[in-house]
Amino acid sequence: MANEKTLQDIISHCKEYGFIFPSSEIYDGLGAVYDYGQYGAELKKNIRDYWWKSMTQMHENIVGIDAAIFMHPTVWKASGHVDNFSDPMIDNKDSQKRYRVDHLLEGFAETLPAEQGEALLAKMDQLLAENDFAGLKSLIEENKIKCAISGTCNWTDVRQFNLMFSTQLGSVSDEASEIYLRPETAQGIFVNFLNVQKTGRMKIPFGIAQTGKAFRNEIVARQFIFRMREFEQMEMQFFVRPGDQMKWYEYWKETRMKWHLSLGIAADKYRFHDHVKLAHYADAACDIEFEFPFGFKEVEGIHSRTDFDLKQHQEFSGKKLTYFDTELNQHYIPYVVETSIGLDRCFMMVISEAYELEDLSTPGKEDNRVVLKLPAMLAPIKLAVLPLTKKDGLPEIARELMEQCKPYFKCFYEEKDAIGKRYRRQDAIGTPFCITIDHQTKEDQTVTIRYRDSMQQERIPLASVKNLIMDKIQLF
Ligand code: GAP
């Protein structure tokens, strides 16, 4: 029997088992900044590697790059982030607490009966699309939405607030040296478009992929690693002929959804959400939403960005960013379809889906276990090697197996505590396979393999362990 899981269950589990800790915890943490622990770092790396391989290795026309976090400040003027990368905010005058207007209204809508909530959100979408800030304030006031801290409806006007962090380059603190921490990785791809196209002799359509840190001064940062101030993105810009963008937009919608389903997550946990208010650069956009413990929310965005970015960079840099299409015998600025997924948000999706509290009670005996049913290819530890006792030569056989397997996948060795306890600890960190070495191993060279999800056990030849695990953790 699987119990309902809450966000708090996931947060506690991540902390208790070394997946995620609050940043600088001994100093009481830093808002919306988190550190990944020993198992979290492995799981995150495995998700990143899976994405990277799916995008680059499995698509012959997509290559990966690794651009710097710092970029020339004019990049952000050209991209529109200096002028447009802001959210409408409202402050409560009594508590001084600042809210993102959409979050305040969304939070309130969740407290209403479904139909009323939907009507409120539809009105909000319309006002946001029209940039009608006075209308948004009226909507908050008409609904008598209160500040969670002061409990009053004493609101300021709605204002725009830029989300980029800035810092100084070099030692002289003047305006000319002000630079930004990138709020998205995409611009590192756009400014390298011609470098990659020419040195890689890439032909349209082709893509450039990248993973890396991005920074946003989120005002309302909540829901754990769902909305962070420092996070990681996995983005891919696909350069296409002008006019072909809708065909590729549909292609990437379908391809990205297939990737999500390949994680073993059921189709009904996902849905597409088409944007009503399009970003300044887009002619079509949608989100892939996943059903988190707190409802359906965006994990990934797919955006048809037109030729906006390359055109802007061409204008602001004065450098030509056109492509010569030999088939059409024509120069043009390519159009771009982007897929953009947050690695941390994807991590949260994977771990929320995997987390289960199982009630294993049999009459007269109460028992339960917490298990992470992670896809084997993503699990932080693939194989635990457990000698039944610390003596009789069993640890030596186990150590030999460790030496044989560890060059190929991440293994874990443990000889302390009863075997049942050791199995439970591996269940909690999502280890898909445990091998137990016992006295019979010495007689017939067989071991017990125990499967995490079914808890079934069977005897297999010791010599077959490495290849069997290798088979089961294949990415493709
Ligand atoms: N280049 C396009 C772009 O950055 P976005 O919709 O702003 O688009 C893409 O972000 C993805 O990045 C989101 O779908 C989400 O998964 C992730 N993301 C955005 N802001 C985030 C934050 N504050 N914390 C964690 N992930 C975030």
Side-chain angles (χ1 to χ4, degrees):
M1 183 186 89
N3 290 359
E4 272 300 299
K5 47 198 154 194
T6 64
L7 178 60
Q8 196 48 51
D9 293 333
I10 312 288
I11 298 173
S12 308
H13 191 82
C14 283
K15 171 105 198 299
E16 189 178 342
Y17 287 94
F19 284 87
I20 298 178
F21 309 121
S23 159
S24 338
E25 196 187 7
I26 56 171
Y27 294 98
D28 297 332
L30 184 67
V33 185
Y34 291 90
D35 296 339
Y36 285 81
Q38 64 278 24
Y39 297 125
E42 291 286 343
L43 175 55
K44 189 177 175 194
K45 179 184 171 301
N46 293 342
I47 298 172
R48 188 195 297 114
D49 287 351
Y50 181 50
W51 181 89
W52 184 262
K53 281 196 173 167
S54 313
M55 283 303 194
T56 62
Q57 197 166 312
M58 301 305 281
H59 288 96
E60 291 171 31
N61 57 348
I62 301 182
V63 290
I65 65 162
D66 183 10
I69 287 172
F70 292 141
M71 300 183 74
H72 193 284
T74 311
V75 166
W76 306 110
K77 280 215 177 300
S79 67
H81 283 81
V82 170
D83 295 327
N84 296 317
F85 193 56
S86 45
D87 280 326
M89 304 285 174
I90 194 163
D91 292 25
N92 183 270
K93 290 184 192 163
D94 299 320
S95 66
Q96 314 287 316
K97 174 124 177 92
R98 180 166 293 166
Y99 294 86
R100 250 177 74 168
V101 166
D102 56 337
H103 290 171
L104 189 64
L105 284 159
E106 276 168 8
F108 181 71
E110 278 167 19
T111 66
L112 299 175
E115 227 170 82
Q116 254 176 288
E118 275 161 30
L120 180 71
L121 293 181
K123 181 77 188 157
M124 175 187 84
D125 280 344
Q126 183 208 330
L127 293 168
L128 283 171
E130 292 164 359
N131 278 331
D132 182 350
F133 295 157
L136 285 163
K137 185 179 179 188
S138 304
L139 193 63
I140 290 169
E141 287 175 338
E142 279 159 22
N143 283 281
K144 300 192 172 46
I145 300 178
K146 290 188 180 126
C147 164
I149 312 270
S150 67
T152 68
C153 306
N154 194 9
W155 298 107
T156 61
D157 287 341
V158 173
R159 285 168 298 186
Q160 293 282 64
F161 184 89
N162 196 293
L163 300 183
M164 280 197 295
F165 285 102
S166 67
T167 186
Q168 305 292 326
L169 188 72
S171 54
V172 185
S173 182
D174 59 20
E175 216 178 273
S177 63
E178 187 184 40
I179 58 165
Y180 298 101
L181 272 71
R182 64 181 179 197
E184 63 171 12
T185 58
Q187 299 303 323
I189 292 179
F190 289 124
V191 298
N192 279 298
F193 156 70
L194 267 193
N195 282 337
V196 174
Q197 189 272 317
K198 290 202 163 127
T199 55
R201 295 185 297 126
M202 309 297 291
K203 275 201 148 87
I204 273 181
F206 74 92
I208 305 178
Q210 171 168 225
T211 70
K213 287 278 174 112
F215 304 83
R216 296 182 188 180
N217 196 2
E218 299 284 0
I219 294 305
V220 182
R222 50 181 181 169
Q223 291 162 332
F224 195 35
I225 57 167
F226 182 81
R227 196 175 304 284
M228 303 159 88
R229 296 200 165 103
E230 174 181 341
F231 58 100
E232 195 165 334
Q233 288 186 316
M234 306 190 288
E235 298 200 295
M236 193 278 302
Q237 322 298 132
F238 200 69
F239 300 90
V240 305
R241 277 183 187 159
D244 279 358
Q245 70 270 26
M246 281 308 146
K247 180 180 88 187
W248 287 110
Y249 174 69
E250 292 305 328
Y251 170 86
W252 282 109
K253 268 179 84 168
E254 193 189 321
T255 304
R256 291 305 302 149
M257 185 56 98
K258 274 193 197 146
W259 183 87
H260 281 272
L261 297 176
S262 76
L263 299 172
I265 299 176
D268 64 1
K269 300 285 289 210
Y270 289 107
R271 69 182 188 196
F272 284 111
H273 167 77
D274 294 316
H275 286 200
V276 180
K277 184 186 179 193
L278 290 173
H280 58 278
Y281 50 73
D283 67 357
C286 70
D287 300 331
I288 294 179
E289 293 187 339
F290 169 77
E291 191 175 19
F292 287 98
F294 43 85
F296 274 98
K297 299 277 177 205
E298 171 189 352
V299 201
E300 172 156 8
I302 296 151
H303 313 124
S304 172
R305 288 180 83 128
T306 67
D307 57 356
F308 174 84
D309 302 87
L310 289 179
K311 232 181 185 167
Q312 289 289 102
H313 287 307
Q314 174 167 283
E315 190 186 323
F316 278 71
S317 67
K319 309 272 160 45
K320 234 176 170 195
L321 293 178
T322 52
Y323 167 84
F324 181 64
D325 192 322
T326 48
E327 277 173 39
L328 297 181
N329 199 24
Q330 204 182 313
H331 288 275
Y332 55 77
I333 293 184
Y335 271 47
V336 172
V337 175
E338 161 185 81
T339 71
S340 174
I341 178 165
L343 175 52
D344 311 86
R345 219 173 262 190
C346 188
F347 181 109
M348 186 158 165
M349 172 180 87
V350 166
I351 210 158
S352 324
E353 183 64 16
Y355 177 93
E356 269 183 33
L357 179 57
E358 285 185 348
D359 180 352
L360 308 174
S361 59
T362 46
K365 187 170 177 253
E366 276 197 16
D367 194 10
N368 56 34
R369 69 165 184 163
V370 174
V371 54
L372 288 187
K373 293 188 171 170
L374 295 167
M377 64 184 178
L378 299 183
I381 306 283
K382 311 294 191 220
L383 176 70
V385 179
L386 314 171
L388 194 62
T389 65
K390 288 186 200 167
K391 46 187 193 223
D392 304 333
L394 303 188
E396 285 76 4
I397 301 173
R399 279 281 169 208
E400 222 171 276
L401 181 61
M402 282 291 291
E403 289 309 310
Q404 203 188 94
C405 293
K406 74 184 183 193
Y408 300 95
F409 44 82
K410 185 92 178 149
C411 305
F412 182 87
Y413 177 88
E414 194 173 42
E415 54 186 38
K416 198 173 164 286
D417 290 332
I419 195 72
K421 244 186 174 175
R422 282 184 269 167
Y423 284 153
R424 289 288 188 274
R425 279 201 291 267
Q426 294 305 314
D427 288 343
I429 61 167
T431 306
F433 312 105
C434 292
I435 293 287
T436 305
I437 317 284
D438 58 17
H439 293 92
Q440 195 184 326
T441 310
K442 285 174 43 174
E443 285 159 25
D444 64 4
Q445 298 295 300
T446 63
V447 291
T448 301
I449 184 165
R450 188 250 190 195
Y451 300 96
R452 176 197 64 201
D453 297 353
S454 63
M455 294 190 288
Q456 300 261 299
Q457 302 187 13
E458 59 176 325
R459 283 205 85 87
I460 58 166
L462 175 61
S464 69
V465 172
K466 189 199 93 193
N467 286 344
L468 187 140
I469 307 297
M470 292 280 283
D471 270 0
K472 295 200 184 278
I473 61 173
Q474 284 301 324
L475 290 186
F476 299 101

